[in-house]
Amino acid sequence: MRLAAMCAMLAALIPGVAAAADEGPAPKAELADRLVVIKSQRKLYLHSEGRVLKSYKVALGSNPVGHKAREGDGRTPEGVYVLDGRNAESRFHLSLRVSYPSAADVERAKARGVSPGGDIMVHGIGGEARHLAAHRKGRDWTQGCIALTNAEIAEIWALTAEGAVIEAKLDTGRG
């Protein structure tokens, strides 16, 4: 039996099938155009056109208060950056690279005679048990990155396009 004939037969037998078939494909998941990290809340908010799509609990750098000043300070940068790369082979499951350091970050570090650091990522936990234990206890454990569970980074990976804006700030206002 031909496919069209089978669909017509099913539509006649089951109410609502014809209407559903006419609606077309299911809508795609909405992509986030902005990620906002509120450091004081340990939260990352996914935004699309100004609306919050979802929020996640995160772990930050081991010394999270203040803007990253130099390599090795354990701080998560504050400011507006973009997601400028993806690593599907990350030892932390998946990672999205943050465009830190900016030109201003480099100049501030240079004025102090230090390296600004780099390789700031939004990433998962990976397979290391100590990271999972710290994450479950709500401890900040990264070297300045933003960490989520492996399932959460997979979801963010799928919902966020390269070039999306990421903003990290201390304030206590909602994302």
Side-chain angles (χ1 to χ4, degrees):
M1 190 179 266
R2 300 185 75 151
L3 182 60
M6 285 179 60
C7 288
M9 187 172 72
L10 280 173
L13 293 173
I14 305 170
V17 169
D22 292 338
E23 291 174 12
K28 285 182 151 182
E30 195 168 6
L31 288 182
D33 54 18
R34 186 177 195 88
L35 291 77
V36 177
V37 177
I38 307 295
K39 290 171 62 174
S40 61
Q41 296 177 4
R42 305 303 191 274
K43 289 273 196 166
L44 181 150
Y45 295 88
L46 281 185
H47 288 247
S48 178
E49 298 179 5
R51 290 181 301 100
V52 175
L53 300 175
K54 193 158 184 183
S55 66
Y56 304 87
K57 180 181 173 191
V58 298
L60 302 172
S62 58
N63 182 26
V65 177
H67 179 59
K68 186 162 195 66
R70 62 177 172 74
E71 184 174 13
D73 65 7
R75 292 184 177 165
T76 300
E78 295 175 0
V80 179
Y81 301 93
V82 297
L83 298 177
D84 66 357
R86 294 170 173 261
N87 182 359
E89 302 297 322
S90 170
R91 72 176 213 185
F92 295 106
H93 185 58
L94 297 169
S95 64
L96 300 168
R97 188 175 58 231
V98 176
S99 63
Y100 176 87
S102 67
D105 295 321
V106 170
E107 283 301 312
R108 278 192 296 272
K110 185 177 176 183
R112 291 186 189 108
V114 298
S115 167
D119 288 333
I120 301 298
M121 309 283 174
V122 178
H123 62 67
I125 296 171
E128 298 181 42
R130 68 185 172 95
H131 295 145
L132 179 59
H135 198 82
R136 285 190 174 151
K137 291 179 182 174
R139 293 191 184 134
D140 292 317
W141 57 269
T142 75
Q143 294 181 23
C145 295
I146 300 155
L148 306 104
T149 67
N150 291 347
E152 290 168 337
I153 189 60
E155 185 172 81
I156 291 170
W157 179 280
L159 294 174
T160 306
E162 195 167 312
V165 171
I166 180 165
E167 178 180 9
K169 54 188 175 180
L170 180 62
D171 76 24
T172 57
R174 191 167 161 260

Coordinates of all heavy atoms in Angstrom, one line a residue, residues 5-18:
A5 N -1.8 6.6 0.8 CA -3.1 5.9 1.0 C -3.1 5.5 2.5 O -4.2 5.6 3.1 CB -3.2 4.7 0.1
M6 N -2.0 5.0 3.0 CA -2.0 4.6 4.4 C -2.3 5.8 5.4 O -3.0 5.7 6.3 CB -0.6 4.0 4.8 CG -0.4 2.6 4.2 SD 1.2 1.9 4.6 CE 1.2 1.9 6.4
C7 N -1.7 7.0 5.1 CA -1.9 8.2 5.9 C -3.4 8.6 5.8 O -3.9 9.0 6.8 CB -1.0 9.3 5.4 SG 0.7 9.0 5.8
A8 N -4.0 8.5 4.6 CA -5.4 8.9 4.5 C -6.2 8.0 5.3 O -7.2 8.4 6.0 CB -5.8 8.9 3.0
M9 N -5.9 6.7 5.3 CA -6.7 5.7 6.0 C -6.6 5.9 7.5 O -7.5 5.9 8.2 CB -6.2 4.3 5.7 CG -7.1 3.2 6.3 SD -6.6 1.5 5.7 CE -5.1 1.3 6.5
L10 N -5.4 6.2 8.0 CA -5.1 6.5 9.4 C -5.9 7.7 9.8 O -6.4 7.8 10.9 CB -3.7 6.6 9.7 CG -2.9 5.3 9.9 CD1 -1.4 5.6 10.0 CD2 -3.4 4.5 11.1
A11 N -5.8 8.7 9.0 CA -6.5 10.0 9.3 C -8.0 9.8 9.4 O -8.6 10.4 10.3 CB -6.2 11.0 8.2
A12 N -8.6 8.9 8.6 CA -10.0 8.7 8.7 C -10.3 7.9 10.0 O -11.4 8.1 10.6 CB -10.5 7.9 7.5
L13 N -9.4 7.0 10.4 CA -9.7 6.2 11.6 C -9.4 6.8 12.9 O -10.1 6.5 13.9 CB -8.9 4.9 11.5 CG -9.2 3.9 10.3 CD1 -8.2 2.8 10.2 CD2 -10.6 3.4 10.5
I14 N -8.4 7.7 12.9 CA -8.0 8.3 14.2 C -8.2 9.8 14.1 O -7.5 10.5 13.4 CB -6.5 8.0 14.5 CG1 -6.3 6.5 14.4 CG2 -6.1 8.6 15.8 CD1 -4.8 6.1 14.5
P15 N -9.2 10.3 14.9 CA -9.4 11.8 14.9 C -8.2 12.5 15.4 O -7.5 12.1 16.3 CB -10.5 12.0 15.9 CG -11.1 10.6 16.1 CD -10.1 9.6 15.8
G16 N -7.9 13.7 14.7 CA -6.8 14.5 15.1 C -5.5 14.2 14.4 O -4.6 15.1 14.3
V17 N -5.4 13.0 13.7 CA -4.2 12.7 13.0 C -4.0 13.6 11.8 O -2.9 14.1 11.6 CB -4.1 11.2 12.6 CG1 -3.0 11.0 11.6 CG2 -4.0 10.4 13.8
A18 N -5.1 13.9 11.1 CA -5.0 14.7 9.9 C -4.6 16.1 10.3 O -3.7 16.7 9.6 CB -6.3 14.8 9.2

